[in-house]
Amino acid sequence: ETGVTQTPRHLVMGMTNKKSLKCEQHLGHNAMYWYKQSAKKPLELMFVYSLEERVENNSVPSRFSPECPNSSHLFLHLHTLQPEDSALYLCASSQVFNRGADTQYFGPGTRLTVL
Amino acid sequence: AQSVTQLDSQVPVFEEAPVELRCNYSSSVSVYLFWYVQYPNQGLQLLLKYLSGSTLVKGINGFEAEFNKSQTSFHLRKPSVHISDTAEYFCAVSDPGYSSASKIIFGSGTRLSIRP
């Protein structure tokens, strides 16, 4: 595997389910990100981890819970979601080198549908 | 606070015609500017970025962008488009002073559709 991978690619869940999204980066980076991409809205940054420490939590509801056990893996745990949470969830990684200048590398995303 | 405006949500263009995708940003400090592309069913990938120096930035796949500080713009151009350029294009800005990692603010995207 190369780059940034995400599993599953598609997920359908009910509002009472608990599920997790997984992201893995094979680039040796030390920062990872979760974004939400909804139709006709800009990408929304949800969480940022740098050196496995959460450095940004962008006012995300507590029904989304991130976990970064090491610099290569990032999870997004989901529980009691709402239909408006249906979206494409993108994971990205970067090498923290020059702060805002660093290029982010994205995975293909998980298409989440909440029924 | 920083923000990015992409004025056109959709741009249809004939194949081999030139294209310009417009982007304006708002910031009270100096910024870094990016263009990312998202092909169907894929994640985003970097086309080009402006950090400093020459205001004309060349990227992959024949794209280029020009940083204009007085007009706070960073428009993306390609002299001749191909069917394979069909994608959504995102302009983005980041804060050089962000304390760790990188925090990118994305525009709402411009969908480029190429007609044969």
Side-chain angles (χ1 to χ4, degrees):
Chain A
E1 292 277 14
T2 58
V4 180
T5 58
Q6 292 187 241
T7 54
R9 293 293 308 274
H10 300 272
L11 178 62
V12 179
M13 58 187 289
M15 289 191 286
T16 59
N17 292 156
K18 289 184 180 181
K19 296 286 184 183
S20 296
L21 309 184
K22 179 183 175 183
C23 175
E24 185 173 0
Q25 59 94 2
H26 309 269
L27 300 168
H29 290 165
N30 53 16
M32 297 187 78
Y33 312 77
W34 278 118
Y35 288 89
K36 176 183 179 183
Q37 186 177 28
S38 306
K40 300 182 180 178
K41 291 177 71 175
L43 269 76
E44 300 171 55
L45 178 64
M46 300 174 72
F47 301 103
V48 180
Y49 278 82
S50 178
L51 300 172
E52 301 159 39
E53 178 184 347
R54 190 190 308 178
V55 297
E56 181 85 19
N57 178 349
N58 233 15
S59 303
V60 179
S62 59
R63 57 186 183 270
F64 294 91
S65 175
E67 179 190 1
C68 188
N70 55 61
S71 60
S72 298
H73 294 86
L74 184 65
F75 295 89
L76 188 62
H77 304 299
L78 316 171
H79 65 97
T80 59
L81 294 190
Q82 305 298 311
E84 60 265 28
D85 297 322
S86 298
L88 182 68
Y89 289 85
L90 292 164
C91 173
S93 70
S94 71
Q95 183 63 29
V96 179
F97 179 71
N98 191 11
R99 297 185 177 177
D102 303 320
T103 298
Q104 292 187 17
Y105 293 80
F106 286 78
T110 294
R111 174 70 62 186
L112 174 67
T113 303
V114 181
L115 301 176
Chain B
Q2 299 163 339
S3 65
V4 177
T5 302
Q6 293 183 247
L7 295 167
D8 305 303
S9 60
Q10 294 189 62
V11 173
V13 183
F14 286 106
E15 193 173 15
E16 298 183 5
V19 69
E20 178 180 82
L21 305 184
R22 297 180 294 168
C23 172
N24 288 89
Y25 69 93
S26 172
S27 176
S28 58
V29 298
S30 61
V31 294
Y32 296 137
L33 293 159
F34 305 78
W35 276 99
Y36 279 81
V37 61
Q38 186 177 28
Y39 297 105
N41 300 314
Q42 296 186 29
L44 282 71
Q45 67 180 86
L46 182 73
L47 267 181
L48 48 81
K49 60 183 175 183
Y50 171 78
L51 304 181
S52 65
S54 172
T55 57
L56 184 64
V57 182
K58 293 192 183 295
I60 62 172
N61 301 337
F63 284 93
E64 64 181 30
E66 185 154 20
F67 170 60
N68 188 318
K69 188 174 182 179
S70 62
Q71 297 186 8
T72 61
S73 67
F74 191 55
H75 301 331
L76 180 71
R77 301 185 184 99
K78 185 170 182 178
S80 176
V81 295
H82 190 265
I83 291 285
S84 59
D85 294 321
T86 297
E88 188 144 21
Y89 292 78
F90 295 92
C91 183
V93 61
S94 75
D95 179 358
Y98 188 60
S99 60
S100 57
S102 75
K103 183 176 180 180
I104 297 180
I105 307 300
F106 286 89
S108 54
T110 297
R111 187 170 299 276
L112 178 62
S113 58
I114 312 298
R115 300 169 176 174

